[in-house]
Amino acid sequence: MEMRNQKGEVLAILNIDSPQEENTIDIVIRQLKPGMGKGIYLAADKKISQQTNYGAVKWTGGIEELKAKTSSWEAVFPADAEVMDIQVYYGFDNLTQEEIDEMAIESSRTGKDVVRDLIPNDTLVGVSLLYRKEETEFEFRIFGTTKSRIHVPDLEKHTIENLTIRSNEAVYIRNNELQRLIWAEVGSTKGKALQYEVVAEHSDRDSLISISESLS
């Protein structure tokens, strides 16, 4: 699912999958634990796919220190809400050309897909903030990586709706307990695309939209 801005430019790609798929990529994704990443050489396509599951790490500083750390992102944050907790996510090194060539040789010899671990690094790729606004608690996530996947165990029990948030295409996903609002937008001057997500339990569509409209 491509999410575009009002100019029609693709800012982010969101994949929503269910358990029916059984190809190598989907099997690897379901086995990834937080903090794990895998590089996959696909024998049939002769190409590389890198899949990650970022692990949350406690941020020991405050919100102002986090904003300073991510200043180049030009991110926006909820207004008039209390920050209760902050976690951050670090990335992985890409496979080197030498590693890819070795995987290609192994795949050619065996005729099978080849999977290798990705090495974690200290590059900040995302943040997750727990906020409280009046009586409502919600999680606010920002990622500098704009290709993501959400695993939905039972599509029939979820409502998936396309919306427009802050002049950008968005996706609202709801089941009986959890609501998510996901979209992407770019900074005011540098043009870096960021993916935003507001997550809340036992909330509603309008409340999540209201939070998105408060960002500054």
Side-chain angles (χ1 to χ4, degrees), residues 72-74 143-146 185-194:
S72 63
W73 291 10
E74 296 186 312
F143 280 94
T145 54
T146 52
E185 61 181 90
V186 298
S188 58
T189 61
K190 298 178 182 177
K192 176 179 173 59
L194 299 174

Side-chain angles (χ1 to χ4, degrees), residues 54-73:
Y54 300 123
V57 178
K58 177 75 173 179
W59 176 258
T60 56
I63 181 63
E64 295 306 321
E65 289 87 350
L66 181 68
K67 288 181 178 180
K69 177 73 172 180
T70 59
S71 60
S72 63
W73 291 10

